[in-house]
Amino acid sequence: MKILYGIQGTGNGHLSRAIELIPHLKEEAEVDILISGLHHDLEFKHPIKYKKQGLGFFFGKSGGVDIWKTIRKFNVYRFIRDIKSLPVEEYDLVISDFEPVTAWACKLKKVFCLGLSHQSAMLNSRTPLPGNIDAFGFKILKYYAPCSQNLSFHFKEYGHNMFTPIIRREIRKLEVQNKGFYVVYLPAYSDEKIISVLSQFSSTKWLVFSKHSKQAYQKNNISVRAVNSEEFIEGLKDCEGVLCGAGFETPAETMHLGKKLAVIPMKNQFEQVCNAYALEELGVPVFYDLEEYSIKLIGHWLKEKEKSVRINYPDNARNVIKHLMNHFTVNI
């Protein structure tokens, strides 16, 4: 059996999940890997057969996506060419982790495509969503990488064909400590903005991982580092808490480790708004910007010494692949 596994390469979450799933998948089939949107910081040791531009985005510095840079860097003709040329019909099963080239190639050629992502959980009717959802944002998520059926991941198993997060082995084996500092990962904000806010809490030590600086530097009580997977994991191990965007993997890993967590969802990012809503239901504080009102809330959060949401997520990577093989390859 031959499987094509398309992975979204913008950010680290999709790749970290794939790194855990691929060894189990390779026990069942021959696997070719496609990655698009190569804006990640993880070392990916599996051989990659296809590298594509995809539909990646670029982080801005004011809390959201840099729309104009994203548009300038996107080559629509290349994207269409990649879709038409991808030989999805040669595979017994095509999987897309929110990866648009594989998904749209399958849709164009009428080939079955299985979605295996966190984003597809937002399409499940049992997933908690904010009352006033952004209809345009919902449509973008729905049609970004449209699949025939979906297996999803979320903070809880809200519905059918949904699993709790895949926690990478590097996180599972950590012997956690509390050395009193806080890890910060807010890639959609400039270093200057983050520093201007965090410097108001002068008695707190902050370790900021930056998407906008390649050089490490110190600013009073704030240490700034370029994003590095090994250093980030070490930070998670030793920190008291984490302030990050409302993505999926970092909040899930933080809760699994039992660290304090607060999130700031990216502006105009439908998935993160939905994640923030689900996290708030679990008891995680949500701040919606880095302005004066949220600064006061951050101060309250820091004072709550025992305020953490711990969820001991099971090691379910093998079970996900068994479910996938049992339910989506029966006619192959």
Side-chain angles (χ1 to χ4, degrees):
M1 180 188 298
K2 289 185 64 177
I3 293 176
L4 175 61
Y5 190 179
I7 308 164
Q8 170 65 256
T10 299
N12 297 325
H14 307 271
L15 289 170
S16 66
R17 176 167 53 243
I19 288 169
E20 298 300 316
L21 293 175
I22 287 170
H24 300 291
L25 199 56
K26 284 187 172 180
E27 291 177 4
E28 307 288 344
E30 178 184 343
V31 181
D32 288 342
I33 296 169
L34 179 150
I35 297 180
S36 72
L38 306 174
H39 309 300
H40 56 84
D41 307 289
L42 284 180
E43 182 181 2
F44 193 82
K45 296 181 179 179
H46 298 285
I48 302 168
K49 184 158 187 178
Y50 306 100
K51 292 183 180 180
K52 303 295 183 183
Q53 169 194 259
L55 281 170
F57 62 85
F58 292 85
F59 294 111
K61 295 186 177 183
S62 301
V65 173
D66 187 331
I67 299 295
W68 294 114
K69 185 174 182 180
T70 298
I71 292 172
R72 288 199 312 271
K73 294 288 185 179
F74 178 57
N75 186 329
V76 64
Y77 300 105
R78 180 179 173 182
F79 180 66
I80 293 171
R81 185 173 66 248
D82 286 344
I83 290 172
K84 289 183 176 180
S85 63
L86 188 64
V88 291
E89 66 278 5
E90 296 178 5
Y91 292 89
D92 298 302
L93 178 65
V94 179
I95 300 171
S96 170
D97 185 345
F98 205 55
E99 196 295 301
V101 177
T102 47
W104 278 103
C106 286
K107 192 170 184 66
L108 177 68
K109 300 178 182 182
K110 295 182 171 55
V111 172
F112 178 87
C113 183
L114 176 65
L116 186 65
S117 69
H118 164 61
Q119 285 78 4
S120 63
M122 310 308 157
L123 307 177
N124 191 305
S125 61
R126 296 186 179 181
T127 298
L129 298 176
N132 297 318
I133 67 169
D134 175 6
F136 181 67
F138 181 81
K139 286 187 176 181
I140 290 176
L141 183 140
K142 183 176 181 179
Y143 294 109
Y144 181 91
C147 296
S148 309
Q149 293 187 49
N150 292 292
L151 286 181
S152 306
F153 301 92
H154 214 316
F155 301 119
K156 291 175 63 176
E157 293 181 357
Y158 293 107
H160 182 60
N161 282 337
M162 194 177 298
F163 295 87
T164 52
I166 303 290
I167 304 296
R168 48 187 165 158
R169 68 195 74 181
E170 292 91 344
I171 298 295
R172 290 190 175 278
K173 68 183 183 183
L174 291 178
E175 296 182 7
V176 297
Q177 303 180 62
N178 182 352
K179 295 185 178 180
F181 65 89
Y182 284 77
V183 165
V184 179
Y185 181 54
L186 296 169
Y189 283 96
S190 67
D191 293 0
E192 293 77 15
K193 180 62 176 179
I194 294 171
I195 290 170
S196 71
V197 171
L198 300 185
S199 61
Q200 298 185 45
F201 307 101
S202 57
S203 61
T204 301
K205 292 183 179 179
W206 302 94
L207 175 58
V208 176
F209 288 92
S210 170
K211 274 283 190 180
H212 306 290
S213 177
K214 295 182 179 180
Q215 300 296 324
Y217 61 95
Q218 186 81 24
K219 189 80 171 180
N220 298 323
N221 59 318
I222 303 163
S223 298
V224 179
R225 301 286 184 271
V227 178
N228 175 283
S229 181
E230 291 182 2
E231 289 187 14
F232 187 78
I233 291 173
E234 189 71 13
L236 287 181
K237 177 177 78 72
D238 292 337
C239 71
E240 181 170 346
V242 176
L243 176 62
C244 63
F248 183 55
E249 275 69 23
T250 298
E253 291 173 351
T254 302
M255 291 190 292
H256 179 77
L257 294 174
K259 304 286 187 174
K260 284 176 64 176
L261 171 67
V263 300
I264 302 177
M266 285 175 59
K267 296 174 183 177
N268 303 315
Q269 222 276 9
F270 179 77
E271 177 210 342
Q272 292 217 1
V273 172
C274 295
N275 287 347
Y277 183 79
L279 286 167
E280 208 161 23
E281 284 197 340
L282 294 173
V284 174
V286 177
F287 316 131
Y288 285 93
D289 53 40
L290 278 179
E291 303 307 325
E292 193 63 36
Y293 178 70
S294 292
I295 291 171
K296 294 179 182 179
L297 295 177
I298 292 172
H300 291 312
W301 173 64
L302 291 173
K303 292 177 183 177
E304 295 176 325
K305 292 297 182 183
E306 302 300 324
K307 185 68 174 178
S308 64
V309 176
R310 174 156 196 154
I311 304 178
N312 186 18
Y313 288 119
D315 188 356
N316 58 353
R318 179 61 189 158
N319 289 337
V320 170
I321 297 304
K322 284 177 64 178
H323 183 88
L324 183 157
M325 298 302 295
N326 289 337
H327 290 80
F328 296 98
T329 62
V330 290
N331 295 323
I332 295 174

